[in-house]
Amino acid sequence: MRILKSNVTILLSVLCFFFVACSETAKRESPEHPAYHNVLVQPFTDSVNSDPQNAYYYFLRSEALLRIHEDSLALADAQQALQIDSLNPRYAYAVGYIQISLKKYDEAIPLLRKLLVSDPFNTGAQFLLLSAFLDTKRINEAQALVDAALAARPRDPRIRYWQALIKTAQGDRTAAIGIARTLMTEEPDNYEVSYQLADWYREEGLPEAISQYEYTFRMDTTDVDPLYDIATIYELKKDWRKAKELYRTCILRDPGYTDAYVSIGKILLHQDSAEKALRQFNIAIATDPVNATAYFNKGLCFEQLNLKDSAISAYRQALVFDESIKEARARWQKLQQDSPGR
C-alpha cells in the first residue's frame, strides 16, 4: 500500500559527535556518514551541529534524509527529535511513518496507538496504523479501525478510501477500483486516490494506468514519481526507447532522481552498452553514495568489460551497503575463486 510523500511532513537527522562524543547514539549514527554531507542534507547537518539540543533541527534533517532514501538515518533523527521533545505529535508521527517504511511494525503500532489516545482524530496517525495493520495482514483490526473512524465521520472521503484499501487486502481489487473511481468523480483533484487508482490499474494490467499516472502527474508536476511509474510500464513492454525517454524526463525535472539513472543503466546494460551503462551507474552513485543496486550493476558492467578486479570491488561495495543481494555475493565469490592470489 502506498504511503504518499504528501502525507508526511517529516524532516531531519543525527547528533553531532563534537557535542555528544559520549552518546551511544552519536557513536552509532556518526555524522561522518556520507549521507549527512549530501548537498540536500548538509545545511541541516550544520544546524544540528550548531545546536544539538534543538529537536526541530533533527526533524528537518530527517526529512532531508528521507528525500535521498536514507530511511534508517532519518529514523534515528526523528527519534532524537522525539526524545528531546516527547510531547510533540509531529515527531511521534514522523517516527511512526519511518518505522512503517522500514517494516518495524512492532515498534510503530504501540507508538501510533499511544499517539491516538492523546489525539483520537489524528487522521494521519489513523492512516499509518491502518497501513501497519494491512501490511501485517491484521485485517480485522484494520476493519475495526475504519468502522470506528467512519462512524465518527461517515462522509469523509479519506475514510471511504481506506475502505478501498481493505477491499484490496481482502482480494477484491475490482471493488476497490470502483470505490476509487467514485471518489475521483466526487473529488477530481484527490492526488492520493488518483495515484493509488493508477497503481491498481497497473497491477491489473489495465491500459488506463498510463493515462491515470499522467493525470496524477498534472496535479503536482514537482513530483516525478508518476512519470517514473509510466516508464516502468514501457520497460516491461520492452519499449526501451519510450522508457529511456521518460526516465530522462524524470532526471531533467529532478537531477537527483537516483532510480532513473539506475533504470537507464539497466536498459543500456541489457542492450550490451556496458560503457554507457557504467556512466549512468556512476551518476547514480554520485546522487546516492550508498546505493547498493548501483554498485551491483557496476559490477555487471565491469564483468561485461572483462575488468574482473573492478567487478570484485563493485560487488564487495554493494554487499557493504546491502548484504542481502545474493547475486552480488555469488558473483563476488566466483570471481575471487577465478582470480589467483586474491
Side-chain angles (χ1 to χ4, degrees), residues 71-283:
D71 291 7
S72 293
L73 296 178
L75 176 58
D77 271 357
Q79 288 174 323
Q80 184 62 28
L82 185 60
Q83 181 176 327
I84 294 170
D85 185 0
S86 61
L87 298 180
N88 192 314
R90 294 175 70 191
Y91 302 161
Y93 177 88
V95 171
Y97 169 83
I98 304 171
Q99 285 173 335
I100 290 174
S101 298
L102 293 170
K103 303 187 185 305
K104 295 178 178 289
Y105 303 110
D106 290 342
E107 298 173 28
I109 289 173
L111 176 69
L112 293 167
R113 287 188 188 277
K114 181 178 178 181
L115 177 57
L116 285 169
V117 168
S118 59
D119 186 4
F121 297 106
N122 187 322
T123 306
Q126 287 177 324
F127 179 71
L128 288 182
L129 187 55
L130 174 69
S131 302
F133 286 151
L134 293 179
D135 289 350
T136 53
K137 311 300 182 187
R138 295 158 69 166
I139 307 301
N140 290 338
E141 289 177 85
Q143 187 67 65
L145 175 67
V146 170
D147 288 345
L150 201 58
R153 303 186 297 280
R155 297 301 303 165
D156 190 324
R158 291 168 296 185
I159 302 171
R160 291 161 60 205
Y161 165 60
W162 298 351
Q163 288 182 306
L165 297 177
I166 291 177
K167 291 293 184 184
T168 301
Q170 293 170 335
D172 191 352
R173 189 169 287 146
T174 300
I177 289 174
I179 294 171
R181 282 174 170 165
T182 299
L183 290 171
M184 287 304 300
T185 301
E186 297 173 3
E187 291 191 333
D189 59 348
N190 191 319
Y191 185 88
E192 184 176 4
V193 174
S194 179
Y195 209 150
Q196 184 63 75
L197 182 57
D199 283 349
W200 285 335
Y201 283 151
R202 179 178 61 176
E203 290 161 11
E204 290 294 302
L206 298 174
E208 294 95 327
I210 290 176
S211 60
Q212 193 66 43
Y213 281 127
E214 290 172 338
Y215 179 83
T216 306
F217 173 68
R218 288 195 295 272
M219 280 193 242
D220 180 6
T221 57
T222 65
D223 184 359
V224 297
D225 284 352
L227 296 182
Y228 181 85
D229 289 324
I230 296 172
T232 64
I233 293 174
Y234 283 112
E235 186 175 350
L236 286 172
K237 292 180 177 180
K238 302 190 186 305
D239 188 338
W240 313 121
R241 183 193 64 80
K242 189 66 175 176
K244 286 191 291 186
E245 178 184 311
L246 281 163
Y247 287 134
R248 289 186 177 117
T249 300
C250 292
I251 291 166
L252 286 172
R253 289 179 172 272
D254 181 357
Y257 203 105
T258 305
D259 289 347
Y261 294 110
V262 172
S263 294
I264 293 173
K266 286 180 178 179
I267 292 173
L268 291 170
L269 189 58
H270 176 79
Q271 296 174 325
D272 294 324
S273 299
E275 290 182 354
K276 292 180 180 179
L278 187 59
R279 287 197 289 272
Q280 294 298 315
F281 297 130
N282 282 333
I283 298 172

Side-chain angles (χ1 to χ4, degrees), residues 48-85:
V48 167
N49 291 348
S50 70
D51 186 0
Q53 292 305 310
N54 189 317
Y56 188 55
Y57 289 158
Y58 290 102
F59 180 58
L60 291 175
R61 194 170 66 175
S62 177
E63 183 184 58
L65 288 165
L66 284 176
R67 288 174 180 165
I68 62 169
H69 310 296
E70 290 290 347
D71 291 7
S72 293
L73 296 178
L75 176 58
D77 271 357
Q79 288 174 323
Q80 184 62 28
L82 185 60
Q83 181 176 327
I84 294 170
D85 185 0

Side-chain angles (χ1 to χ4, degrees), residues 295 298-300 302-303 307-316 332 335:
Y295 277 107
K298 275 187 70 172
L300 296 178
F302 286 134
E303 280 205 75
L307 298 172
K308 293 184 179 180
D309 286 348
S310 296
I312 288 171
S313 178
Y315 291 140
R316 183 169 57 242
W332 174 56
L335 286 173

